Amino acid sequence: MTRVGIIGAGHIGGNIARRMALAGHQVIVSFARDGAGLAALAADIGATVADPAGAATADVVVLSVPWGVIDQALAAAGPLDGRIVIDTTNQFGRGGAMDLGGRTAARVNTERMPGARYTKSFNTLTAGFQAATADRAEADRVVQWIAGDDAGAKTVVASLISGAGYVPVDLAGIDGCSVMEAPRRAGAVYGEEYRAAAAAAVVAAVRAGQPIPPAPVY
Ligand SMILES: NC(=O)c1ccc[n+]([C@@H]2O[C@H](COP(=O)([O-])OP(=O)(O)OC[C@H]3O[C@@H](n4cnc5c(N)ncnc54)[C@H](OP(=O)(O)O)[C@@H]3O)[C@@H](O)[C@H]2O)c1
C-alpha cells in the first residue's frame, strides 16, 4: 500500500485517484476551487481531502493541473524534496501547445520542483480514454509512458501504473521525452494508443535517437 497524494483531482487526476484507490492505495486528494466536488469524489472512492501541502506528504505525489496553474499548485504544496512526483501536465496555453524554446515540458517542470524525484506519465491519452480502458484484459491494456531521470522513482511509478490497469513503459529521460509531449503529431506517441507489443520498438528508436515507427492502428 502506497500513500498517493493528488494535487488537482480533475479529469486526469480524478481518474488516477480512483484507480489508485481501487488498487488499495491510500489516496489523498487536494487543490480545488470546488471544494464540494472534491469532497464528493473523495467520498465516492474512499479517499481523504487535504490541502496541497497535506497531499505532498504522501509517498507519491501526482501533479495534475492546467499548465498555467502549476506554479500556484506547487507554491501551495511546498517543498517536494525527496518525494516521488508524477507530472501529468501538458504545456497548453491559450494558443494551443506552447513552444518551450527547445526544452521539454518535463525539464521545465523539473526545475520548478527542485529536489523532487520527478517522473512524467498519464499525459498522452485523453482522460476519457484512460478511464474507459483501465479495466481492459491484460492483452489489450494500453501503455502509459514514463519519463524521468530517477530509475528508482520510475520503478515505483511503473508498479502503480500496472496496478491501475495500464502497461507501464519507461520511455526516456527528462530531456529525451519530447515524443510523449504535446502536440499530437506524426512521429510522436502523444495522443496515440499503444499496447505492450508495439512499445519496445518505440523505446529502442528513442534511445537510439531515431524516428519512431508509425503509430499502430488497433
Ligand atoms: N483532460 C485530458 O484529456 C488530459 C489528458 C492528458 C493530460 N492532461 C493534462 O493533465 C493536466 C490536468 O488536466 P485535466 O483535464 O485533468 O484538468 P481539469 O479537469 O481542469 O483538472 C484540474 C484540477 O485542478 C483543480 N484546480 C484547482 N485550482 C485550479 C485553478 N485555479 N484553475 C484550474 N483548475 C484548478 C481543479 O479543481 P476545480 O475545478 O474544483 O478548481 C481540478 O481538480 C493538464 O496539464 C492537462 O494538460 C489532460
Side-chain angles (χ1 to χ4, degrees), residues 8-12 31-34 64-65 69 88-90 123 125-127:
H11 291 94
I12 291 290
F31 196 59
R33 294 160 299 182
D34 173 12
S64 193
V65 301
V69 183
T88 81
T89 70
N90 292 311
N123 72 298
L125 299 168
T126 66

Side-chain angles (χ1 to χ4, degrees), residues 125-178:
L125 299 168
T126 66
F129 191 73
Q130 293 190 36
T133 56
D135 288 314
R136 282 192 182 173
E138 189 87 32
D140 296 334
R141 285 183 168 203
V142 299
V143 167
Q144 297 282 14
W145 305 98
I146 308 171
D149 291 346
D150 182 322
K154 288 202 277 193
T155 300
V156 171
V157 170
S159 171
L160 291 174
I161 289 171
S162 291
Y166 310 100
V167 180
V169 177
D170 179 358
L171 180 63
I174 289 168
D175 293 319
C177 69
S178 60

Side-chain angles (χ1 to χ4, degrees), residues 17-44:
R18 183 176 298 278
R19 300 306 305 183
M20 295 297 164
L22 276 171
H25 301 298
Q26 186 184 333
V27 177
I28 305 163
V29 293
S30 74
F31 196 59
R33 294 160 299 182
D34 173 12
L38 188 68
L41 171 70
D44 190 30

Side-chain angles (χ1 to χ4, degrees), residues 192-209:
E192 308 295 341
E193 175 182 351
Y194 283 80
R195 300 180 194 168
V202 172
V203 174
V206 169
R207 296 199 175 164

